[in-house]
Amino acid sequence: MPLALTVAFLLAGQDAQETPVTTGTDPGSAVHLQLSGHLDLHYLYRSPAIEDTGAQLNLLAPGTKGSSTQWSGRISLRADIEVKDFVSGVIELENRSFENGINKPFGATPPDTPAEIKQGYIEIGQLLRPELNLRIGVQDVTFRNRPQDEAFFMDLGESGSFWAGFQPVGSFVSNTVDRNITQPVGLRLFYTPFEVTTVQAFWMVVQEQGGTSLDEAVYGLVANTLLAENWSTWILATAVSGGGDRRGTIDTGGYGIDGYVGSAKDLELFAEVYGQGGTLQHAPAAVHKEAYAFNLGARVFVCDCHKLWLEPAVSRRSGDRHPGDDHDQTFQSYQNVNRFVILESHEFGLDVNTNITVIRAALGAGPFDLSGRPLRIQLDVGHFTAVAPIETVGAAGNSRQWGTETDLTFIWSYNQSFALSLKGGWLADSELLKALGGENHALTIVFGADLRF
């Protein structure tokens, strides 16, 4: 009887509710409504030394970072709504698989994977001019030098704070395992003067700290264009301010280029470089920023079948060689690079995202037919060296060697929407891991199931 009364009450109250928005031609209705989603589920095993090392980097006791085995992942649901007069909107909900420095696995007691607003924005097309679009609200801001690569400098919405690792005592930035995601909100303007050229200007608040001067805010201007049929280039300028009391403003300039040589596209060349200046902290004594970063490489297809390729590359993010003086040389960013599952992954590994030189090579093969479905294999080998000593290590860490990591990845695409993956990472000869985590080697294995619709 109580259930019947409840149903009757809800039915009676329907007439009083506001008319829902549906697709159609009536005034106020949506012209187009699209629902999509993503289920990224994975099972993880990692050596305890990885978590112990992460705890030490974050100035915590060993064993306080998280579990060595767990089921985790992200589940998201997105609605794209288009109404009249070139106005559209996006609402996207997603759980966070890590936050505040720790993983948030499924099956926790109590459950700790609530859905949050991933994106929620309104876009106005052809604002004042046909070439001008304005986006307002919670939104990801991502810039990649290569379409198939990860963001080396900026991926707002998939990265932590710009000030992660900042140490007030001594006024320098150190390596930390952040495992955090911010929620950028603000304005983003798109201007397309030519079909092959786009200019973006944006203002985003990444972390709300109360007072306006304390908010972590990002201001940016980015222009990208096609130079020729197979070449693209871009230029970037950003300023990050706030984030804490007496913090300064860090300015970054960047340039990148990516393209293919020859009509067969057998050789790809890519490069991106950055320089940073500004003021890290105003008081008690001013500390100025002098940092740089670069990522250079090439990909060559070994055979005409385009099923075997080799990619050598080198990257560096500068580190502070003299902490405590009036200059900080640590390169800061909103990067989202997770190629190597132990040293680079911000969800599974140590999130080594600054003060690092990486010399790497990748070998890719496929697709190969496996039961009528494509299988791709990739082998990544990288040697990691700290540019400056890791301050957290102290007297035990005279070495700058993070070691050599080898990752092997299998991806079996069941269809266009669903894929299974298996990735293993092995870190060897790591003197820094030995100093921080007690072992000079580590293993991580990740099994994944990924569905997009």
Side-chain angles (χ1 to χ4, degrees), residues 26-262:
D26 296 333
S29 65
V31 177
H32 181 73
L33 176 63
Q34 177 177 310
L35 192 66
S36 59
H38 184 200
L39 282 78
D40 172 21
L41 310 175
H42 43 255
Y43 182 78
L44 164 71
Y45 166 79
R46 61 184 164 210
S47 299
I50 298 174
E51 287 300 88
D52 290 342
T53 299
Q56 294 276 22
L57 288 173
N58 286 8
L59 304 179
L60 299 173
T64 60
K65 290 293 295 177
S67 175
S68 295
T69 60
Q70 63 185 40
W71 276 102
S72 58
R74 295 195 195 180
I75 301 174
S76 65
L77 192 62
R78 170 172 170 152
D80 290 72
I81 308 101
E82 180 183 347
V83 296
K84 296 181 179 181
D85 300 322
F86 305 102
V87 177
S88 60
V90 167
I91 302 172
E92 183 177 6
L93 302 178
E94 183 180 74
N95 70 296
R96 294 188 176 183
S97 55
F98 54 93
E99 189 176 24
N100 297 326
I102 61 173
N103 292 108
K104 303 179 73 172
F106 295 128
T109 305
D112 191 26
T113 55
E116 300 185 17
I117 296 175
K118 167 69 172 169
Q119 294 194 96
Y121 63 81
I122 300 168
E123 183 161 340
I124 308 169
Q126 300 190 16
L127 177 66
L128 303 178
R129 298 177 58 88
E131 308 88 3
L132 200 61
N133 285 18
L134 176 63
R135 188 176 293 178
I136 308 169
V138 179
Q139 55 192 289
D140 294 344
V141 181
T142 305
F143 297 108
R144 298 182 179 91
N145 188 41
R146 309 163 68 199
Q148 75 274 26
D149 214 345
E150 296 172 307
F152 187 80
F153 173 67
M154 180 170 287
D155 194 356
L156 301 181
E158 286 294 334
S159 58
S161 170
F162 190 81
W163 299 98
F166 175 75
Q167 306 296 330
V169 178
S171 299
F172 65 96
V173 178
S174 65
N175 287 96
T176 56
V177 184
D178 305 325
R179 289 190 193 154
N180 206 2
I181 298 178
T182 58
Q183 189 183 61
V185 57
L187 304 175
R188 191 176 180 189
L189 198 65
F190 300 82
Y191 177 59
T192 309
F194 310 105
E195 185 177 353
V196 297
T197 302
T198 302
V199 180
Q200 299 182 41
F202 59 90
W203 162 56
M204 293 287 155
V205 175
V206 178
Q207 283 194 324
E208 177 66 47
Q209 302 276 15
T212 303
S213 62
L214 301 179
D215 294 343
E216 182 177 334
V218 187
Y219 308 86
L221 183 66
V222 180
N224 63 280
T225 187
L226 293 178
L227 294 178
E229 183 179 356
N230 296 327
W231 288 87
S232 63
T233 187
W234 53 265
I235 189 169
L236 168 149
T238 66
V240 180
S241 63
D245 188 30
R246 300 176 180 178
R247 303 272 176 87
T249 299
I250 305 298
D251 304 311
T252 304
Y255 173 77
I257 189 169
D258 173 50
Y260 294 89
V261 177

Side-chain angles (χ1 to χ4, degrees), residues 296-312:
L296 316 172
R299 175 179 290 195
V300 57
F301 285 92
V302 179
C303 64
D304 294 336
C305 63
H306 275 219
K307 289 189 176 183
L308 185 65
W309 53 264
L310 176 67
E311 182 178 298

Side-chain angles (χ1 to χ4, degrees), residues 165-174 280-281 283-288 319-330 388-389 391:
F166 175 75
Q167 306 296 330
V169 178
S171 299
F172 65 96
V173 178
S174 65
L280 180 70
Q281 182 170 286
V287 177
H288 303 287
D320 192 17
R321 298 179 184 273
H322 305 286
D325 63 7
D326 60 353
H327 287 80
D328 179 77
Q329 299 167 317
T330 304
E391 285 299 309

